[in-house]
Amino acid sequence: MKIELVPIIELGYCNQGLEQPKVYPVWDYPDIWYEYHQASFKKAGFKDELVPYLKWSALYEPHLITDPNLIKIVQDHTEDFRNGKYEREMVSCLFGGYILRIDGIDEYFPQCCGDLGDIHYWKKLSEGKLSYYEGHPDPILTFSDGRLEMDFSVKEHDETFDPAPRHLKLILELNALKSAVQNAEIVLHEFGKRLIEINMKANIGIDRLDDLLIWENPNHEYLE
C-alpha cells in the first residue's frame, strides 16, 4: 500500500460579482467551473493563471502557484491581521488541507474548514492516536493491529462528504501513513521557505510567516 498526503490550498474568490454556474455536481462540468474560477481570479487581480489540482476544483498545489499569485494570496489572507483587526492567534493557516491518495488514486479530500495546519491531524493518526477532525464532516476512526479504519458512512448534522469517497470504509497501514506524513512535511518545509522569501520580497512584514500559515493551527484541538 502506497499512501500519499497531497498538500493543497483552497481558494475561494467567488465574491467578485460574477454569476456562479448553477450546474452540479461540479466534477460533471469541469470546463464550466474552470472558466468561472479563472474569471473570478482575473477580476480579483491575480496576475497569472492558477492551475487547479483537478479542473473542476478550487484546490491548488502550493508548488504550482507563482510568486506573484502567492504574494496576493498571503496578503489577502493576512489583511485583517496586518491591519490590526485580528490578533495573531486568530489567524488560521492557509485554507485547504491534504488529499489522501492510496496507490495513486484520490480517496479522500479535505472537507469544510480544513487548512494546512491539519498536518498535525494526520501525524497524530499515523501515531495511532485519535485526533481532532480535518474539516467537517469527519469519518469515524478506529485503530486495530497497526491499521487505521476510516468509516465514511456517518452523516453529521445532515452533512455529506464532498466529493463523496469512492468507498464507505478505508483501511490504512500506519507505517505507510507515517511515510506519507513525512513526505508531506518535506513539501511543507519547502513551501515554508518560499513564504519566508516572499515575506521579504513583498515586504509583508509578518514574523515567522511560515509558522503562521502552515504549522500553528490555533483553532484546532488535538486529543492525546
Side-chain angles (χ1 to χ4, degrees):
M1 170 182 286
K2 181 180 179 181
I3 298 178
E4 299 170 81
L5 290 172
V6 182
I8 54 91
I9 296 173
E10 182 178 12
L11 300 176
Y13 292 94
C14 296
N15 58 345
Q16 304 303 309
L18 301 177
E19 184 176 357
Q20 185 168 304
K22 296 179 175 60
V23 288
Y24 300 96
V26 294
W27 45 85
D28 282 347
Y29 304 90
D31 292 332
I32 292 175
W33 283 96
Y34 174 82
E35 293 300 330
Y36 169 71
H37 287 140
Q38 293 303 316
S40 296
F41 293 142
K42 184 176 181 179
K43 190 169 182 181
F46 282 92
K47 294 183 178 180
D48 303 316
E49 180 183 5
L50 284 149
V51 181
Y53 181 78
L54 295 169
K55 194 171 185 179
W56 51 264
S57 76
L59 307 177
Y60 302 83
E61 294 179 86
H63 72 278
L64 295 179
I65 300 174
T66 66
D67 280 359
N69 284 352
L70 183 58
I71 288 170
K72 176 171 174 55
I73 291 168
V74 171
Q75 288 175 331
D76 290 350
H77 189 82
T78 62
E79 181 178 6
D80 287 337
F81 170 51
R82 291 183 292 108
N83 290 340
K85 184 176 180 179
Y86 293 149
E87 297 297 325
R88 184 182 180 100
E89 58 269 18
M90 298 176 66
V91 181
S92 70
C93 297
L94 289 171
F95 303 125
Y98 301 85
I99 296 172
L100 174 66
R101 289 172 57 84
I102 301 178
D103 295 330
I105 298 174
D106 298 330
E107 295 286 1
Y108 176 45
F109 288 77
Q111 301 297 301
C112 183
C113 300
D115 61 45
L116 288 184
D118 291 325
I119 190 63
H120 301 298
Y121 165 92
W122 290 104
K123 189 168 187 175
K124 287 285 188 182
L125 294 185
S126 75
E127 296 168 348
K129 300 175 183 177
L130 288 177
S131 180
Y132 199 73
Y133 60 79
E134 181 194 34
H136 58 88
D138 56 313
I140 295 174
L141 306 173
T142 54
F143 296 98
S144 177
D145 299 324
R147 296 178 179 179
L148 165 66
E149 180 180 280
M150 307 180 76
D151 183 350
F152 300 98
S153 63
V154 62
K155 284 189 177 181
E156 180 181 5
H157 306 300
D158 293 325
E159 286 186 301
T160 56
F161 292 95
D162 185 19
R166 299 187 320 125
H167 307 285
L168 289 181
K169 291 185 179 182
L170 291 175
I171 297 178
L172 311 182
E173 297 172 2
L174 292 186
N175 285 336
L177 184 56
K178 286 180 183 178
S179 295
V181 169
Q182 292 168 356
N183 290 332
E185 288 178 331
I186 292 172
V187 175
L188 292 175
H189 282 297
E190 288 301 313
F191 180 51
K193 292 177 183 178
R194 285 190 65 202
L195 290 175
I196 293 171
E197 291 172 357
I198 69 160
N199 193 29
M200 294 185 293
K201 180 179 179 181
N203 196 28
I204 295 172
I206 297 178
D207 183 43
R208 296 181 292 107
L209 181 64
D210 54 328
D211 286 338
L212 180 66
L213 299 184
I214 299 175
W215 307 105
E216 290 187 2
N217 203 355
N219 298 318
H220 295 300
E221 300 173 1
Y222 296 96
L223 303 175
E224 296 295 339

